[in-house]
Amino acid sequence: MTQTTEAASVQQPPKPTRARVHRAWFVAAVTFVTIIGAAAFRSVPGLLIDPLHAEFDWSRGTIGAAVSVNLALYGLTAPFAAALMDRFGIRRVVAVALTVIAAGSWLTVWMTAAWQLMLCWGLLVGLGSGSMALAFAATVTNRWFTQRRGLVSGILTAASASGQLIFLPLLSWIIDRYDWRPAAVTVALAALAVVPFVWLLLHDHPADVGQKPYGATAFVPKPPPVPGAARRAVTVLLSAVRTGPFWLLAGTFAICGASTNGLIQTHFIPAAHDHHMPVRAAASLLAVIGIFDVVGTIASGWFTDRFEPRRLLAVYYALRGVSLMFLPLLLGPAVHLPMVFFIVFYGLDWVATVPPTLALCREQYGEDSAIVFGWVLASHQIGAALVAFLGGVARDTFGTYDVVWYASGALCAAAALMALVIRRRPLLVTAA
């Protein structure tokens, strides 16, 4: 009887103070700022290819290989990070991840060999950034929100684009005026600057402050820490791979990563420079993509709350494929109106795929959706890693990026068809 009474008392929420704005929105705001601060590392790879090639005489394939390691680890770490957040809490995992990013970026200042680029930018920054991946946003959204999940996931996804908007012009100016090393130090300082916000303001669960999740009708007790984070992540994967929707989601998201992070973010600046466009002008175009990415991703979250996510994905991928087919015709020494149209169009579509993909993971896999989404994100980054490497190899081999643009456009068309055949029947995946 005593144990029952004690257990019941644990489930009773403290009486919260009345607030006009739900605490979930403050947590979302801190998460947004955190992702912006960590986004500096996302802006650097495309800016570093030409400076590193000029200083160290490393091939673009070698530099692309280091970027591919970074992108692959960014994805492969995500599902384990989601499980670690269930074990140790969001705040601890994110604070450590930001510190690792800062250390990896700082150490590149002293590198003299390609393997050191692989170690610092590939391994350390890859592991740290993987813990700051979209699984972080998915975990926050799942814990703190019952309503408006599509909108919130869109806003948090847009945070990375906002960081790109802030840092790309700044870092390109630093590299152009000084060197790539001060830019690497800037990335490290940006990551460290966010750590105090995370540690002091990011709460792990609504129950920590005595509130219900936003939109919930009942108080949700904080679940106990889940031991065996790595085993749980693998167990959820083994269950998910036995379902068809997982492979379709993973396949479409791999193409998403190949056509964004791996292709445009890594190779657009050097490709534009091949056509004699100034580096700062090309970096500014990527920053403009970041502006419209914010608009497109938030709008996609709003659409996801109201429309069928499978059809949204098909439209997004089809439009992206068409735009990539036209890109080789638009590149030149100056920025013309058609190129501006491409940048606006591509920006609106950049990561608009995330809210509907996350919604489909939530529909299919329930409470394990954050971890499943982490594995789907891993496929996104593997696709990005392959194109980051193969794009550099193609440029070294053919002397042009044209074949990469056309191949990526064809892949996007395939992704549109894959999205349409994801079945609607919910599937429950339960970790052992």
Side-chain angles (χ1 to χ4, degrees), residues 119-139:
L119 176 64
C120 296
W121 198 259
L123 180 63
L124 292 179
V125 177
L127 288 174
S129 60
S131 300
M132 290 291 303
L134 293 173
F136 168 41
T139 301

Side-chain angles (χ1 to χ4, degrees), residues 25-394:
W25 294 108
F26 290 104
V27 173
V30 173
T31 304
F32 187 90
V33 172
T34 302
I35 296 174
I36 286 179
F41 69 87
R42 302 287 299 278
S43 306
V44 172
L47 296 172
L48 288 184
I49 290 178
D50 284 338
L52 293 179
H53 174 70
E55 179 171 339
F56 298 107
D57 199 29
W58 297 335
S59 71
R60 290 175 175 81
T62 298
I63 301 169
V67 176
S68 70
V69 171
N70 176 293
L71 292 171
L73 287 176
Y74 177 91
L76 292 172
T77 305
F80 295 98
L84 285 172
M85 289 177 189
D86 289 340
R87 176 67 178 87
F88 298 105
I90 299 173
R91 181 172 58 180
R92 292 180 182 177
V93 173
V94 173
V96 171
L98 288 167
T99 305
V100 172
I101 291 171
S105 185
W106 193 286
L107 289 172
T108 59
V109 172
W110 292 281
M111 69 182 178
T112 57
W115 69 265
Q116 294 167 342
L117 178 65
M118 297 276 190
L119 176 64
C120 296
W121 198 259
L123 180 63
L124 292 179
V125 177
L127 288 174
S129 60
S131 300
M132 290 291 303
L134 293 173
F136 168 41
T139 301
V140 171
T141 303
N142 287 350
R143 290 187 182 184
W144 282 89
F145 291 86
T146 299
Q147 296 179 354
R148 309 297 186 195
R149 282 178 168 176
L151 177 63
V152 174
S153 62
I155 293 173
L156 296 183
T157 302
S160 181
S162 301
Q164 175 177 297
L165 168 64
I166 294 169
F167 286 108
L168 255 175
L170 173 63
L171 295 174
S172 65
W173 177 81
I174 291 173
I175 293 173
D176 185 52
R177 186 175 179 85
Y178 300 103
D179 189 21
W180 63 267
R181 289 178 177 84
V185 173
T186 301
V187 172
L189 294 178
L192 285 177
V194 184
V195 173
F197 291 94
V198 172
W199 194 255
L200 297 175
L201 301 176
L202 188 62
H203 296 285
D204 287 330
H205 196 277
D208 291 339
V209 291
Q211 289 195 342
K212 299 178 291 187
Y214 179 82
T217 58
F219 180 78
V220 179
K222 183 177 181 179
V226 180
R231 187 175 72 88
R232 181 172 180 234
V234 174
T235 301
V236 170
L237 173 65
L238 293 176
S239 298
V241 296
R242 294 196 292 267
T243 66
F246 175 82
W247 291 106
L248 291 169
L249 288 168
T252 55
F253 224 40
I255 294 172
C256 179
S259 57
T260 53
N261 301 90
L263 182 63
I264 297 294
Q265 192 164 48
T266 303
H267 294 294
F268 178 80
I269 292 176
H273 192 53
D274 283 347
H275 290 77
H276 310 293
M277 183 183 292
V279 171
R280 289 177 66 179
S284 297
L285 289 176
L286 275 186
V288 173
I289 284 180
I291 296 175
F292 289 94
D293 183 14
V294 174
V295 177
T297 308
I298 294 175
S300 178
W302 187 86
F303 289 144
T304 301
D305 286 331
R306 290 161 176 79
F307 301 104
E308 171 56 52
R310 295 159 185 81
R311 294 180 181 177
L312 290 177
L313 283 180
V315 171
Y316 296 157
Y317 285 121
L319 293 177
R320 183 183 300 177
V322 171
S323 66
L324 284 173
M325 292 292 187
F326 281 99
L327 182 57
L329 305 175
L330 305 178
L331 290 169
V335 179
H336 298 292
L337 185 61
M339 173 58 79
V340 174
F341 179 78
F342 168 83
I343 292 297
V344 172
F345 186 87
Y346 206 85
L348 291 172
D349 192 63
W350 181 269
V351 285
T353 56
V354 173
T357 300
L358 181 55
L360 289 172
C361 285
R362 191 179 299 119
E363 170 193 304
Q364 300 284 341
Y365 303 105
E367 64 181 12
D368 287 329
S369 61
I371 296 177
V372 173
F373 181 73
W375 286 114
V376 171
L377 178 62
S379 71
H380 180 282
Q381 295 308 114
I382 290 172
L386 286 172
V387 172
F389 171 64
L390 294 176
V393 172

